[in-house]
Each structure stands twice: as C-alpha cells, then as structure tokens.
Amino acid sequence: MNKEDFQNRLHDRLRKVPLETRRQWNETDLLIWWGQAVAEDSYLTWERATGGIWQHVKSMCRDLIGPNAR
C-alpha cells in the first residue's frame, strides 16, 4: 500500500482506541499497540518505508497520542 493509504488505515485503527486512553499514552504505549495492530492485520504495512516502519508509525501518530491527542 502507498504512504497515504497506510497512514489513513493506521489512523483509522488507532482512532478505535478511546481518546481518553490515547491521551495518557506515550511512545511505549504506542509501540505496544502497534505490535498488536500488526499481529491482527497483516496487511497493515507500507512496503516502501525506509529506515524501519516503526519510525514512520511514531511520527504519523504523534498527534493522536499524549495530552494533546485529537
């Protein structure tokens, strides 16, 4: 899948987690969630990601976790 499709699918999955829960998360919590999300959805991948997909996930989801999550 391309970058935009990957990001949309990633955000859609993450938004299923209640906002109040995500507002308490840090990067470690996001990493745990990411591991579970990939285990449940093997199609949640971006083949052209460079430098490891986790780095992209972390930056793409920055505004969806922590005290300022939306």
Side-chain angles (χ1 to χ4, degrees):
M1 104 180 29
N2 66 36
K3 180 180 179 179
E4 185 176 319
D5 290 340
F6 173 75
Q7 184 170 351
N8 289 337
R9 191 165 180 164
L10 181 67
H11 284 192
D12 289 345
R13 270 192 85 86
L14 187 54
R15 285 192 178 108
K16 291 179 181 177
V17 176
L19 179 59
E20 288 307 314
T21 300
R22 290 186 282 116
R23 284 189 170 158
Q24 297 175 25
W25 280 9
N26 58 30
E27 287 183 6
T28 302
D29 298 307
L30 181 64
L31 178 60
I32 293 167
W33 171 84
W34 170 244
Q36 293 169 344
V38 170
E40 294 170 3
D41 184 356
S42 61
Y43 294 105
L44 187 61
T45 187
W46 175 25
E47 293 85 13
R48 295 187 180 234
T50 58
I53 199 164
W54 165 242
Q55 297 303 317
H56 296 283
V57 169
K58 189 168 58 171
S59 66
M60 288 176 175
C61 297
R62 188 174 326 211
D63 61 338
L64 297 177
I65 65 166
N68 298 322
R70 54 179 177 88

